[in-house]
Amino acid sequence: FYPTILTELNVKLQPKGELAFTYPAYENGWKFKADPIGNLTFGDKTYNYLFWESKQNLSAESIDYSQGFAVDRASTIQFLEEKLSIFGLNDKEMADFITYWGPQLMKNERNYVHFVINEDCSKFADLMITPRPDHVYRIYILTHALSIDSPLEFEAQEIKPIDRTGFTVIEWGGSILKQLEL
């Protein structure tokens, strides 16, 4: 959350599955103050971001396999840095994303990676923020292991840069998909 001035915020989350974990605690929403550099203050505690995880059942039919990327273990970090930079995440956001998702991807020799971006992320959860930000940008990674000799080729997914002027909110997340036969 990057408001232009210190701002009191109310955030409501409606996941498409059951909430499994939140931090700080989600009690019928989150109420906090955010400053322009992204500090979130709940009373006398300060956080860098809100975290939520839910149990969701993603089906193979809900994924568009015509676009995406086949990413080898050795190029995982470079790939994530490049794509997240194009999208417009700042250094801290990229570090948080990569330290969470990098180890997950590096468990496999090769991965299918597809990014779900902005409005399309509503299939995972709806996000209501008051007062309303100028921009809300969401980027979720969907991934699963590919066999190293998989002949699959994907049309490279286009990632467009975001506009961070005004009160901007960034949300990132993702899911490891059950192993699929492609």
Side-chain angles (χ1 to χ4, degrees):
F1 294 83
Y2 302 98
T4 56
I5 59 171
L6 183 65
T7 304
E8 228 173 279
L9 294 168
N10 290 307
V11 176
K12 296 265 187 188
L13 179 67
Q14 291 182 317
K16 304 302 179 182
E18 179 185 337
L19 279 176
F21 182 80
T22 64
Y23 190 76
Y26 183 85
E27 297 169 1
N28 198 32
W30 284 295
K31 294 180 183 182
F32 57 95
K33 291 181 182 176
D35 68 25
I37 60 170
N39 294 313
L40 312 181
T41 305
F42 290 73
D44 61 352
K45 292 187 176 183
T46 301
Y47 302 87
N48 294 320
Y49 50 81
L50 306 176
F51 182 91
W52 66 272
E53 185 171 289
S54 69
K55 297 175 185 174
Q56 300 199 5
N57 190 9
L58 294 179
S59 67
E61 294 78 38
S62 68
I63 309 303
D64 176 6
Y65 287 101
S66 66
Q67 293 187 351
F69 306 93
V71 182
D72 294 329
R73 177 187 293 156
S75 61
T76 296
I77 302 305
Q78 178 185 356
F79 167 82
L80 290 173
E81 287 175 338
E82 175 188 325
K83 300 308 179 199
L84 298 173
S85 179
I86 290 169
F87 184 71
L89 294 189
N90 65 31
D91 290 343
K92 184 189 173 320
E93 294 158 353
M94 280 196 292
D96 290 341
F97 189 106
I98 291 168
T99 56
Y100 186 89
W101 284 103
Q104 299 299 319
L105 294 173
M106 293 183 80
K107 289 177 183 176
N108 306 312
E109 288 295 323
R110 191 170 189 221
N111 292 286
Y112 167 76
V113 172
H114 179 83
F115 292 102
V116 180
I117 298 174
N118 297 329
E119 296 82 18
D120 292 338
C121 292
S122 293
K123 70 174 115 187
F124 308 112
D126 291 320
L127 194 58
M128 288 77 55
I129 304 165
T130 307
R132 187 179 176 149
D134 297 310
H135 304 284
V136 176
Y137 295 110
R138 303 170 85 183
I139 184 167
Y140 286 23
I141 186 173
L142 299 181
T143 185
H144 67 78
L146 287 175
S147 67
I148 197 68
D149 58 351
S150 172
L152 295 174
E153 292 294 325
F154 308 100
E155 180 183 328
Q157 182 180 5
E158 181 182 7
I159 298 175
K160 295 179 181 174
I162 61 176
D163 173 8
R164 293 183 78 124
T165 58
F167 175 14
T168 301
V169 173
I170 305 292
E171 181 187 26
W172 62 261
S175 292
I176 297 173
L177 303 171
K178 294 175 185 161
Q179 191 61 40
L180 304 171
E181 296 299 321
L182 296 179

